[in-house]
Amino acid sequence: MLEKYWYPKIQKYLENEGYVCHGFYKNGKKLDFIDTGIGNARIDVLGIKRASLIASNFQLETIGVEVKHIGKITIKNIRQAASYAHLCTRCYLAAPVERFSENDKKNAAQAGVGLIRLKRKRVDVIVESNKFQPDIDLINQFLWFLNVVFCPICRTYKHRYDPKELKYNGGSWRNDIFSKKNKWIYICNECNIKLSKNTRQYLMARELEQIRNRFEGIEQKLAKTKRHVDKIDNYYYHKYLKLKGKGERSIKRLDNYYYSKHANLNRALKKIK
Ligand SMILES: [Zn+2]
């Protein structure tokens, strides 16, 4: 496998161009994006970066390089590179050729495939690749195998295993009812914190509101009871005053009655004496 010799050189070239060419295994070891893919087609060297700002819609540049350690390329090689287009926005065929023939360039251009000439100390792009539009959902699924996860809230990609924090990168998974078995939606650490903070604040505000409502209800009930008590007080006070007046008048009447009786008796006694 002499092709392997070229892999690190191509990776270095891509990294200089801003592409990310490796992720991390669960144990924190480097996971090279080498010989990756979904299904039969394997991509020799893969680099990923964000496409230069495209308003609103997120876009990735995924570049796949098919490496052949041969001095002369064939149409079959070009087709093989072109088959990367289901996962790669740019597809290249790289070989340590002296030079690409006009026919090679024509065939490559027809297939939309770029050509890279490999030299011991140089990597030269001779023909640029067309821009392909692979399905982003498929790419996200593919990235999952590379331990790269996509957070649909902040729309960023994260390493599933952070080499600094091996067991847990703070993200979590939510099951999606419309997804097939095993398909979960990933939420990253930052979004988790933001969500839980917001949720805490929301719950606290709701609880405060409930307490306030309950307090107001109690106050209203108290005021009502007080009004009721006042009403009863007034009622009995009036009754009391009425009774008191009545009683006083009765006593006075009785007083008068017995006083006059007493006087009559005295007068009668005087007559008898
Ligand atoms: Zn997020």
Side-chain angles (χ1 to χ4, degrees):
M1 280 293 280
L2 283 162
E3 273 129 29
K4 274 187 184 167
Y5 167 80
W6 299 106
Y7 291 171
K9 290 181 194 298
I10 295 167
Q11 278 185 315
K12 205 172 166 202
Y13 170 77
L14 292 179
E15 276 166 3
N16 282 339
E17 295 286 310
Y19 289 91
V20 173
C21 296
H22 73 87
F24 297 98
Y25 285 107
K26 203 172 180 174
N27 59 11
K29 288 219 174 85
K30 203 167 146 189
L31 186 164
D32 272 312
F33 295 164
I34 294 281
D35 189 24
T36 55
I38 306 185
N40 294 330
R42 309 299 296 177
I43 300 162
D44 287 339
V45 182
L46 173 76
I48 306 167
K49 74 170 176 185
R50 282 235 171 229
S52 44
L53 281 178
I54 292 171
S56 77
N57 216 346
F58 80 104
Q59 291 276 329
L60 289 184
E61 291 262 17
T62 49
I63 182 166
V65 183
E66 167 71 22
V67 184
K68 289 288 174 213
H69 188 73
I70 45 177
K72 192 171 178 354
I73 59 162
T74 66
I75 188 87
K76 201 179 150 211
N77 302 144
I78 290 172
R79 283 206 198 105
Q80 202 177 344
S83 74
Y84 289 3
H86 71 300
L87 287 174
C88 297
T89 54
R90 311 231 178 234
C91 305
Y92 284 89
L93 173 64
V97 295
E98 198 58 47
R99 64 178 203 91
F100 290 108
S101 70
E102 285 311 307
N103 205 35
D104 290 339
K105 288 182 196 169
K106 202 185 91 194
N107 287 336
Q110 253 170 14
V113 167
L115 294 176
I116 293 173
R117 187 178 58 203
L118 300 171
K119 281 190 173 168
R120 194 177 278 269
K121 287 188 177 165
R122 284 184 66 129
V123 172
D124 293 312
V125 173
I126 306 297
V127 176
E128 287 287 350
S129 160
N130 276 10
K131 187 152 188 219
F132 299 98
Q133 287 199 310
D135 180 49
I136 194 67
D137 287 331
L138 187 67
I139 290 184
N140 284 345
Q141 223 171 320
F142 166 51
L143 291 179
W144 190 82
F145 291 106
L146 303 177
N147 289 340
V148 173
V149 278
F150 175 67
C151 175
I153 295 179
C154 60
R155 307 185 80 74
T156 59
Y157 290 87
K158 313 274 174 191
H159 290 298
R160 193 174 168 200
Y161 303 106
D162 187 339
K164 283 176 243 142
E165 187 74 55
L166 271 183
K167 271 193 186 141
Y168 179 62
N169 75 357
S172 61
W173 297 84
R174 271 106 166 136
N175 204 347
D176 185 308
I177 59 161
F178 295 125
S179 297
K180 282 189 197 131
K181 209 172 145 198
N182 295 334
K183 202 180 172 193
W184 294 65
I185 301 294
Y186 173 84
I187 307 287
C188 78
N189 186 28
E190 288 91 333
C191 287
N192 262 338
I193 292 170
K194 221 158 96 183
L195 276 177
S196 58
K197 204 173 151 194
N198 282 351
T199 308
R200 254 202 320 275
Q201 276 172 355
Y202 168 74
L203 288 176
M204 245 159 68
R206 208 174 62 170
E207 218 167 303
L208 264 176
E209 184 67 25
Q210 280 170 352
I211 291 171
R212 196 179 296 130
N213 285 346
R214 221 181 308 160
F215 184 72
E216 275 173 9
I218 291 170
E219 270 196 326
Q220 277 169 9
K221 264 186 202 157
L222 259 174
K224 207 170 155 190
T225 311
K226 198 171 169 283
R227 279 198 302 275
H228 193 63
V229 168
D230 282 351
K231 227 154 98 184
I232 293 171
D233 261 6
N234 286 344
Y235 174 77
Y236 284 106
Y237 187 65
H238 279 295
K239 279 260 180 222
Y240 162 75
L241 285 181
K242 232 170 164 178
L243 281 172
K244 197 182 161 210
K246 217 171 170 180
E248 275 169 358
R249 281 195 301 278
S250 296
I251 288 166
K252 220 172 183 174
R253 244 189 348 255
L254 279 172
D255 263 7
N256 289 342
Y257 174 75
Y258 285 107
Y259 183 75
S260 59
K261 279 270 179 206
H262 183 75
N264 286 344
L265 273 171
N266 273 346
R267 270 199 300 276
L269 276 172
K270 263 184 192 163
K271 269 183 192 166
I272 292 163
K273 276 176 190 172

